[in-house]
Amino acid sequence: MRMLNRLGLLALIGVVVVSACDDDETGPTPERYTATLSGANETPPVTTTAAGTATFTVNGNNLDYTVNITNWPAGRTVTAAHIHCAPPAGQTTCPPLKGWPAGSITTTGGSGTIALSDAELAGIRGGGTYFNVHSSQNTGGEIRGNLVRQ
C-alpha cells in the first residue's frame, strides 16, 4: 500500500511539473507602431498622388521598419525620411528625432533595421511622433503619418 501511495504522489508531482512547463508561451507582445502616409497629413498639406504605410517594430534598441509607398509622382526624388519628435503645444511640426540613411527609402518604400539611442526610443515611446518622406518638390515633406502604437 505504501508503494502505491508513493507512486500516486510521484504521478501527481509529474503532472504539476509538466503543467508548469508550458511550451506554448509566446513571450511579450512586440512593441509595434504603424503610420498611414499622405500629403494631406503634411503641414501645410501638400498636393501629391503619393500615399503609403509604415510599420515599425522595436527590437531592443533596434527599429525594424517596412515602408510601402504607392503612386510616387514622376520626376520627384526622395531626399530624406525621418521620424520627427512630438510637436510642442501650439506647433504642428518638430525637428527630426531619427533620420534614415540616404537611399534606404525610395519612391516605392524600403525595409530594414536602424539603431536607436535610448533618447530616440524614449521619444518614440512618449507618443506624438510622426514619420515623413521628403521629396525634391516638397522639401518639407511629401507624405506624413503619425506613429500609432498597436
Side-chain angles (χ1 to χ4, degrees), residues 30-71:
E31 193 174 337
R32 192 173 140 195
Y33 301 83
T34 60
T36 301
L37 311 172
S38 74
N41 292 338
E42 284 292 349
T43 302
V46 300
T47 301
T48 182
T49 55
T53 59
T55 302
F56 306 97
T57 304
V58 175
N59 182 8
N61 272 69
N62 290 321
L63 188 68
D64 300 328
Y65 66 91
T66 301
V67 177
N68 293 300
I69 299 173
T70 58
N71 300 317

Side-chain angles (χ1 to χ4, degrees), residues 52-149:
T53 59
T55 302
F56 306 97
T57 304
V58 175
N59 182 8
N61 272 69
N62 290 321
L63 188 68
D64 300 328
Y65 66 91
T66 301
V67 177
N68 293 300
I69 299 173
T70 58
N71 300 317
W72 189 267
R76 296 182 191 177
T77 58
V78 172
T79 57
H82 305 100
I83 289 179
H84 290 258
C85 61
Q91 294 183 7
T92 54
T93 61
C94 192
L97 177 67
K98 181 65 178 183
W100 264 246
S104 58
I105 303 294
T106 68
T107 58
T108 59
S111 63
T113 302
I114 58 172
L116 297 175
S117 69
D118 289 339
E120 291 164 340
L121 189 53
I124 292 169
R125 287 179 171 147
T129 52
Y130 61 92
F131 178 76
N132 73 342
V133 181
H134 303 257
S135 75
S136 53
Q137 172 81 22
N138 292 298
T139 57
E142 184 82 22
I143 52 177
R144 168 180 166 171
N146 292 336
L147 270 67
V148 177
R149 188 167 180 172

